[in-house]
Amino acid sequence: GYPDDSILENLEEPAAAGTSQASILIYGNSYTSGNNLAGLVQTSIQNHDSQASVTSRTGGGMNLDDHASNAQTAGHQWNTTLANGNWDWVILQDQSQVPSFPTTSQYWQDSKAGAIALDGLIEDNGAQTVFLMTWGRRNGDSQNAWRNPDFLTMQGHLEAGYGMYAENVTSSGRQPVIAPAGLA
């Protein structure tokens, strides 16, 4: 699911490889906005003597289907940001619980459909898709304790869920990256 040596060897270079500045767009929710992920990524890259432009589009509780709907709506800020940018990488972060749900769940199916739609838009815009694997809740998911009774169980389900999102958008010659933040 997430980058290992064999996957990294086969990754496509970002669309603007060789330019002096990486251009990154993040679609997420409070996990990314509340922790200022865009600022942290930009600072981290700049601390390694490189330049980066990092932009985010976030909204509390948003899932991949919500992001896809916005990105597919002409004139919507999510749509214009993606279409008018010269992005190297577009990072997708799903709602914190959904990737851990069974694949038969309508929420999971909707996010999978959103991931597929977003990946198509990202590809059309010449960028690379990156899934930001989130982390399990310290005490599991109290709203879904039957599925995620503790941290380790929830983290295992999140890892599997993001892996299956990636499998569903992988095609010949195009493979997304999973950033395993949840495992870290």
Side-chain angles (χ1 to χ4, degrees), residues 104-115:
T104 55
S105 159
Q106 190 61 54
Y107 292 111
W108 196 93
Q109 288 293 318
D110 290 346
S111 275
K112 178 187 85 169

Side-chain angles (χ1 to χ4, degrees), residues 41-94:
V41 168
Q42 186 163 320
T43 300
S44 178
I45 292 170
Q46 291 172 344
N47 285 342
H48 287 90
D49 296 323
S50 297
Q51 293 299 311
S53 171
V54 183
T55 301
S56 65
R57 294 291 171 255
T58 63
M62 290 187 74
N63 60 42
L64 296 179
D65 189 47
D66 296 329
H67 288 297
S69 178
N70 289 348
Q72 292 172 319
T73 302
H76 192 284
Q77 187 178 28
W78 269 239
N79 173 275
T80 57
T81 301
L82 179 60
N84 295 333
N86 185 20
W87 308 108
D88 297 310
W89 308 93
V90 179
I91 299 172
L92 306 177
Q93 181 250 314
D94 200 4

Side-chain angles (χ1 to χ4, degrees), residues 29-31 61 95-98 100-101 134-145 148-156 158 182:
N29 56 40
S30 62
Y31 272 40
Q95 192 273 347
S96 63
Q97 298 158 297
V98 173
S100 73
F101 291 170
T134 55
W135 45 93
R137 296 178 179 175
R138 179 174 293 158
N139 297 312
D141 181 358
S142 62
Q143 295 172 314
N144 298 287
N148 297 311
D150 54 50
F151 169 79
L152 289 176
T153 303
M154 185 172 187
Q155 190 60 55
L158 287 168

Side-chain angles (χ1 to χ4, degrees), residues 164-176:
M164 286 184 275
Y165 290 165
E167 286 176 22
N168 278 280
V169 302
T170 297
S171 62
S172 177
R174 181 166 167 81
Q175 187 173 27

